[in-house]
Amino acid sequence: MVDITQKQNTHRMAIAEAIVQVSSPETMQAIANGEVPKGDVFEMSRAAGLLGVKKTAELLPDCHPLPIEFTAIRYETKNLEIRIEIEVKTFYKTGVEVEAMHGASLVALNMYDMLKPLDKGVEIRHIRLLQKRGGKSDVG
Amino acid sequence: MVDITQKQNTHRMAIAEAIVQVSSPETMQAIANGEVPKGDVFEMSRAAGLLGVKKTAELLPDCHPLPIEFTAIRYETKNLEIRIEIEVKTFYKTGVEVEAMHGASLVALNMYDMLKPLDKGVEIRHIRLLQKRGGKSDVG
Amino acid sequence: MVDITQKQNTHRMAIAEAIVQVSSPETMQAIANGEVPKGDVFEMSRAAGLLGVKKTAELLPDCHPLPIEFTAIRYETKNLEIRIEIEVKTFYKTGVEVEAMHGASLVALNMYDMLKPLDKGVEIRHIRLLQKRGGKSDVG
Amino acid sequence: MVDITQKQNTHRMAIAEAIVQVSSPETMQAIANGEVPKGDVFEMSRAAGLLGVKKTAELLPDCHPLPIEFTAIRYETKNLEIRIEIEVKTFYKTGVEVEAMHGASLVALNMYDMLKPLDKGVEIRHIRLLQKRGGKSDVG
Amino acid sequence: MVDITQKQNTHRMAIAEAIVQVSSPETMQAIANGEVPKGDVFEMSRAAGLLGVKKTAELLPDCHPLPIEFTAIRYETKNLEIRIEIEVKTFYKTGVEVEAMHGASLVALNMYDMLKPLDKGVEIRHIRLLQKRGGKSDVG
Amino acid sequence: MVDITQKQNTHRMAIAEAIVQVSSPETMQAIANGEVPKGDVFEMSRAAGLLGVKKTAELLPDCHPLPIEFTAIRYETKNLEIRIEIEVKTFYKTGVEVEAMHGASLVALNMYDMLKPLDKGVEIRHIRLLQKRGGKSDVG
């Protein structure tokens, strides 16, 4: 684990995205119409993502625990794709990129779990960092 | 949550894959030569994946907790890609697809976390189910 | 911890209820109209409850871990009260009463958390078991 | 999740109470005489409450993780009621009300779990905030 | 992870012990007299051990999750030593030795944590398996 | 729980050690040659230790949660013993001795778990604090 004891707190932000791809327009309609039997796909997956961001350091051995001071999850749908964007912020000695990536993956996995009874062809694509601010280098 | 109290235990298996894509050949060499400062990327990520499979139901609201009776994690590298294949088995009333997908995502995220200091362009691609056996329908 | 190694699996069910009482009609309207800034109170609290039921044995020292095979959460509102009813089922050697009570408390606590910025007078009342089936005695 | 990155650390305190009501004087005597088979009800429930306060943000999606810097749990008994009072403190950007409420609920639930073999009529009543200090408004 | 999908459930039992050694008779007297400021050392550590047994598979990557169907924790004191004996049982496909060892270590660590303000010389010695029954070989 | 709200952050460090003793030279050779079927004993146990340090406050009721800002795990082998040394650092109001002890115990327990199929006589010995800096008193 990198030694961060001598570093200063600074404002950190990271935005990650994940793409969930379904295999038929009926799946997208079921989501939009609130007809997925397991519940509201967007709200339940938001809950999974908010909790997941906070559990990142518990799952990844080398990741520093840090105070999650803001998380927002936004959705966009287009054709057969749901685009998940997750933004995480902290005021601490190290960044929140991995937390944002982890949150994005959990939102996507929860959609997979909720949609599996309806659609066997759901896949997760392109979990990637879109932006970060704070620390030695900005990205995006 | 789907009611599974009346179902019978059967043998279940699922295989999922995730692709981690790095941005330069130097990253692949650092992994192969054991020169990543955070440690052995394959073994540490295997640990994260084994633990992650077991924590799936704790992270996804609608997912049944189930006895994980086997997990194996295999790696293949080619050019700038690391292919992660994870196999999960149980003898229970419901399948292990989501557990395999979750494990694959955590192996991939742990690689992202360990490689981040060396390579800012690591992305996770194509987390998807390759195969399942048991339950109403086989896939793959 | 009670020794259950010699007991047989039987079908178990428990229903618990919790009452959340808010302090003004404006709070109830904000929930109904989807105007609570933290999100959809019913869906987010359902997610917290589903996860909480599964984490009961991790929080209460003497409680047996057991396979949660069904959880349903239902809501009713009347005047200033939200009534939460949660039903849990398993096929195992011991009952799910505590799991149902724990889930009910987490649904209620999550409502408290989400409503706190709007209403300082939210209270939780009457977390109690309504019904159980299976085991030595039925209740309710 | 509310964005707290720009807020200052201040001293925060919250006190919550929960009431556990048993259904017979024999239950109260068993507790007082240390005759509950699962162990010392007050000490075991204190352990559950201390751990529970620290796990609040892991269970409630929208709750900020924060450094728990003090927790105390006090008991009073009268007739058929056990009154649990829990006090939590931190020096951070947001308050500890939900943590105190969550701790109170877990102390009460653990009593329910320990007393269940003796008394089928135990209920939890009135989990509520008694006092808070710090932040925009004091209560109590 | 060893593949246990084809194994049969059998009755399993394991007993592990840990020795906590304090550095002065005053420490032993403070424990016996209930004068340790953090609380009742035996009861609080029992709670930590009961919970710890259930969390073993969450902490050790290669360990199968299994239904903990009985745990008992016993203490003996002699001179400057506290001997912890922990017994765990299940009816499952694999044994509970690691769970018993993990529980023993957590009881011991919790004593270390509670006694640290009084005694800087507390050590944990000899965490070892005393007995197991079930599976291919019995021990002890 | 000790009230630390009025204390100042200072640099804290603790080093703990655990000794794992195997029962035959063949076990030591299997480790050194990478022939333990469950994987690389040193790397997998490092992962368990890194995660375990971060989970200390979740397992021990009276332990303050704190930001783990550095963890290193070192190994030495001699005859039939593996010596584990773990160093933890933070910049906070209270020390990391218990975290170092807990991490050491988990590294040792994971070795026990991985070696159990090969060697039934593995024991954990002497989990103890070697050094601490920061706070009222230095040790070691």
Side-chain angles (χ1 to χ4, degrees):
Chain A
M1 188 184 260
V2 177
D3 186 344
I4 60 169
T5 50
Q6 304 300 329
K7 298 181 80 173
Q8 297 300 311
N9 288 352
T10 59
H11 286 281
R12 309 283 190 144
M13 180 273 282
I15 299 178
E17 85 170 355
I19 308 290
V20 171
Q21 189 183 287
V22 306
S23 71
S24 84
E26 284 71 23
T27 308
M28 296 304 274
Q29 283 164 13
I31 298 170
N33 298 346
E35 293 166 1
V36 174
K38 290 187 172 186
D40 182 318
V41 173
F42 292 128
E43 284 297 299
M44 295 283 277
S45 302
R46 186 191 310 279
L50 287 168
L51 289 166
V53 164
K54 293 185 277 187
K55 287 174 84 70
T56 307
E58 193 184 324
L59 289 156
L60 302 182
D62 237 311
C63 184
H64 294 95
L66 48 77
I68 302 297
E69 302 193 333
F70 176 66
T71 301
I73 297 169
R74 295 179 281 266
Y75 301 114
E76 264 173 58
T77 56
K78 203 172 109 181
N79 304 326
L80 297 181
E81 288 189 353
I82 303 165
R83 191 178 157 273
I84 299 151
E85 193 180 283
I86 181 162
E87 180 179 353
V88 183
K89 292 190 201 172
T90 191
F91 178 67
Y92 192 57
K93 303 175 178 191
T94 185
V96 283
E97 295 93 285
V98 179
E99 285 73 12
M101 294 281 286
H102 185 237
S105 81
L106 278 168
V107 175
L109 282 161
N110 199 59
M111 290 186 177
Y112 178 87
D113 181 50
M114 293 184 77
L115 297 175
K116 194 165 54 93
L118 305 181
D119 183 337
K120 302 297 178 204
V122 177
E123 291 189 9
I124 300 171
R125 311 186 75 138
H126 303 291
I127 305 179
R128 66 180 162 193
L129 191 69
L130 291 186
Q131 242 189 77
K132 63 169 285 228
R133 293 275 173 272
K136 271 175 291 186
S137 57
D138 289 350
V139 172
Chain B
M1 187 184 262
V2 177
D3 186 342
I4 60 170
T5 49
Q6 304 299 331
K7 297 182 79 174
Q8 297 300 312
N9 287 353
T10 58
H11 286 281
R12 309 283 189 144
M13 182 273 285
I15 299 179
E17 85 171 355
I19 308 289
V20 172
Q21 187 182 287
V22 306
S23 72
S24 84
E26 283 72 24
T27 307
M28 295 305 274
Q29 284 163 13
I31 297 170
N33 299 344
E35 292 167 1
V36 174
K38 288 187 174 188
D40 182 319
V41 172
F42 291 127
E43 285 295 299
M44 295 283 278
S45 300
R46 185 190 310 279
L50 288 168
L51 289 166
V53 165
K54 293 184 279 188
K55 288 173 84 70
T56 307
E58 194 184 324
L59 288 156
L60 302 183
D62 237 311
C63 184
H64 294 95
L66 49 77
I68 301 297
E69 300 193 333
F70 176 66
T71 302
I73 297 169
R74 295 178 282 267
Y75 300 115
E76 263 173 58
T77 56
K78 203 172 110 181
N79 303 327
L80 297 182
E81 287 189 354
I82 302 166
R83 191 179 158 273
I84 299 152
E85 194 181 281
I86 182 163
E87 181 180 352
V88 182
K89 293 190 200 169
T90 192
F91 178 68
Y92 192 59
K93 303 175 177 188
T94 184
V96 284
E97 296 93 284
V98 179
E99 284 72 12
M101 294 282 285
H102 185 236
S105 82
L106 277 167
V107 175
L109 281 161
N110 199 59
M111 290 186 179
Y112 178 87
D113 181 49
M114 293 184 78
L115 297 175
K116 194 167 51 99
L118 306 179
D119 183 338
K120 302 298 177 204
V122 177
E123 292 189 8
I124 299 172
R125 311 185 75 138
H126 302 292
I127 305 180
R128 67 178 162 191
L129 191 69
L130 293 187
Q131 241 188 78
K132 65 168 283 229
R133 293 275 173 273
K136 271 174 289 185
S137 58
D138 289 349
V139 172
Chain C
M1 188 184 261
V2 176
D3 186 344
I4 59 170
T5 50
Q6 304 299 331
K7 299 182 78 174
Q8 297 300 311
N9 288 352
T10 58
H11 286 280
R12 311 283 191 143
M13 182 273 283
I15 299 179
E17 85 170 355
I19 307 290
V20 171
Q21 187 181 285
V22 307
S23 71
S24 84
E26 284 72 23
T27 307
M28 295 305 273
Q29 284 162 13
I31 297 170
N33 299 344
E35 294 167 0
V36 175
K38 288 187 173 189
D40 182 319
V41 172
F42 292 128
E43 285 296 300
M44 295 284 277
S45 301
R46 184 190 311 277
L50 288 169
L51 289 166
V53 165
K54 294 184 278 187
K55 288 173 84 70
T56 307
E58 194 183 327
L59 288 156
L60 303 183
D62 237 311
C63 185
H64 293 95
L66 49 77
I68 302 298
E69 301 192 333
F70 176 66
T71 300
I73 298 168
R74 296 178 281 266
Y75 301 115
E76 264 173 57
T77 56
K78 202 171 112 181
N79 304 325
L80 297 182
E81 287 188 354
I82 303 164
R83 192 180 156 273
I84 299 151
E85 193 180 281
I86 181 163
E87 180 180 354
V88 182
K89 293 190 200 169
T90 191
F91 179 67
Y92 192 59
K93 304 175 176 188
T94 185
V96 284
E97 297 93 284
V98 181
E99 285 73 12
M101 294 282 285
H102 184 237
S105 80
L106 277 168
V107 175
L109 282 162
N110 199 59
M111 289 186 179
Y112 178 87
D113 181 51
M114 291 183 79
L115 297 175
K116 194 165 52 95
L118 306 181
D119 183 337
K120 302 298 178 203
V122 177
E123 291 189 9
I124 299 171
R125 312 186 75 135
H126 302 291
I127 305 179
R128 67 180 161 190
L129 191 69
L130 291 187
Q131 241 189 77
K132 65 169 284 229
R133 292 278 174 270
K136 270 174 292 185
S137 57
D138 288 348
V139 172
Chain D
M1 186 184 261
V2 177
D3 186 343
I4 59 169
T5 50
Q6 304 299 330
K7 297 183 78 173
Q8 296 300 311
N9 288 351
T10 59
H11 286 280
R12 308 285 189 141
M13 182 272 284
I15 299 179
E17 86 172 353
I19 308 290
V20 171
Q21 188 182 285
V22 306
S23 71
S24 85
E26 285 71 24
T27 308
M28 294 306 271
Q29 284 163 13
I31 298 170
N33 299 345
E35 292 166 1
V36 175
K38 289 188 173 186
D40 182 319
V41 173
F42 292 128
E43 284 295 300
M44 293 285 277
S45 301
R46 186 191 310 280
L50 287 169
L51 288 166
V53 165
K54 293 184 278 188
K55 287 173 86 68
T56 307
E58 194 184 325
L59 289 155
L60 303 182
D62 236 313
C63 184
H64 293 94
L66 49 76
I68 301 297
E69 301 193 334
F70 176 67
T71 301
I73 297 168
R74 296 178 281 267
Y75 301 115
E76 264 173 58
T77 57
K78 205 173 110 180
N79 305 326
L80 297 180
E81 287 189 354
I82 304 164
R83 191 179 157 275
I84 299 151
E85 193 180 282
I86 181 163
E87 180 180 353
V88 182
K89 293 190 201 170
T90 192
F91 178 67
Y92 192 58
K93 303 176 177 188
T94 184
V96 283
E97 297 93 284
V98 180
E99 284 74 13
M101 296 281 285
H102 184 236
S105 80
L106 278 168
V107 175
L109 282 163
N110 199 58
M111 290 186 178
Y112 177 87
D113 181 51
M114 293 184 78
L115 298 174
K116 194 166 52 97
L118 307 180
D119 184 337
K120 302 298 177 204
V122 178
E123 292 190 11
I124 300 171
R125 310 186 74 138
H126 303 292
I127 305 179
R128 67 179 160 193
L129 191 69
L130 292 187
Q131 241 188 78
K132 63 168 286 228
R133 292 277 173 273
K136 271 174 290 185
S137 57
D138 288 349
V139 172
Chain E
M1 188 183 260
V2 177
D3 186 343
I4 59 170
T5 49
Q6 303 300 330
K7 298 182 79 174
Q8 296 300 313
N9 287 353
T10 59
H11 285 281
R12 310 281 190 146
M13 181 272 284
I15 300 179
E17 85 170 356
I19 308 291
V20 171
Q21 189 183 284
V22 306
S23 71
S24 85
E26 284 73 23
T27 307
M28 295 305 273
Q29 284 163 13
I31 298 170
N33 299 345
E35 293 166 2
V36 174
K38 288 188 173 185
D40 183 318
V41 173
F42 292 127
E43 285 296 300
M44 294 284 278
S45 301
R46 186 190 310 280
L50 287 168
L51 289 167
V53 165
K54 293 185 277 187
K55 288 172 83 71
T56 307
E58 194 184 325
L59 288 156
L60 303 183
D62 238 312
C63 186
H64 294 95
L66 48 77
I68 301 297
E69 301 194 332
F70 177 65
T71 301
I73 296 169
R74 296 179 281 267
Y75 301 115
E76 265 172 57
T77 57
K78 202 171 113 182
N79 304 326
L80 297 182
E81 287 188 354
I82 303 165
R83 191 178 158 275
I84 300 151
E85 195 180 279
I86 181 163
E87 181 180 351
V88 182
K89 292 190 202 170
T90 192
F91 179 67
Y92 192 57
K93 304 177 177 189
T94 185
V96 283
E97 297 93 282
V98 180
E99 284 73 13
M101 294 281 286
H102 185 237
S105 81
L106 277 168
V107 176
L109 282 162
N110 199 59
M111 290 187 177
Y112 178 87
D113 181 50
M114 292 184 78
L115 298 174
K116 196 165 51 97
L118 306 180
D119 184 337
K120 301 297 176 204
V122 178
E123 291 189 9
I124 299 171
R125 310 186 75 137
H126 303 291
I127 305 178
R128 66 179 163 194
L129 191 69
L130 292 186
Q131 242 189 77
K132 63 167 284 228
R133 293 276 173 271
K136 271 173 292 185
S137 58
D138 287 351
V139 172
Chain F
M1 188 183 261
V2 177
D3 186 343
I4 59 170
T5 49
Q6 304 299 329
K7 297 182 78 173
Q8 296 300 311
N9 288 353
T10 60
H11 286 281
R12 309 283 189 143
M13 181 274 284
I15 299 179
E17 85 171 356
I19 307 290
V20 171
Q21 188 182 284
V22 306
S23 72
S24 85
E26 284 71 24
T27 308
M28 295 305 272
Q29 284 163 12
I31 299 170
N33 299 344
E35 293 167 1
V36 175
K38 288 187 174 186
D40 181 319
V41 172
F42 292 128
E43 285 296 300
M44 295 283 278
S45 301
R46 186 191 310 280
L50 288 168
L51 289 166
V53 164
K54 292 184 279 189
K55 287 173 83 73
T56 307
E58 194 184 324
L59 289 156
L60 304 182
D62 236 312
C63 186
H64 294 95
L66 48 77
I68 302 297
E69 302 194 332
F70 177 66
T71 301
I73 297 169
R74 294 178 281 266
Y75 301 114
E76 263 173 59
T77 57
K78 204 173 110 180
N79 303 326
L80 296 181
E81 289 189 354
I82 303 165
R83 192 179 157 274
I84 299 151
E85 194 180 281
I86 182 164
E87 180 180 352
V88 182
K89 293 190 200 170
T90 191
F91 179 67
Y92 192 58
K93 302 177 176 187
T94 185
V96 282
E97 296 93 286
V98 180
E99 283 74 10
M101 295 282 284
H102 184 238
S105 82
L106 277 169
V107 175
L109 283 162
N110 199 59
M111 290 186 178
Y112 178 87
D113 181 51
M114 293 183 79
L115 297 175
K116 195 166 51 95
L118 306 180
D119 183 338
K120 302 297 178 204
V122 177
E123 294 189 11
I124 299 172
R125 311 186 73 138
H126 302 291
I127 305 180
R128 67 180 160 192
L129 191 69
L130 293 186
Q131 242 188 78
K132 62 168 286 230
R133 293 276 174 272
K136 272 176 288 185
S137 58
D138 289 349
V139 171

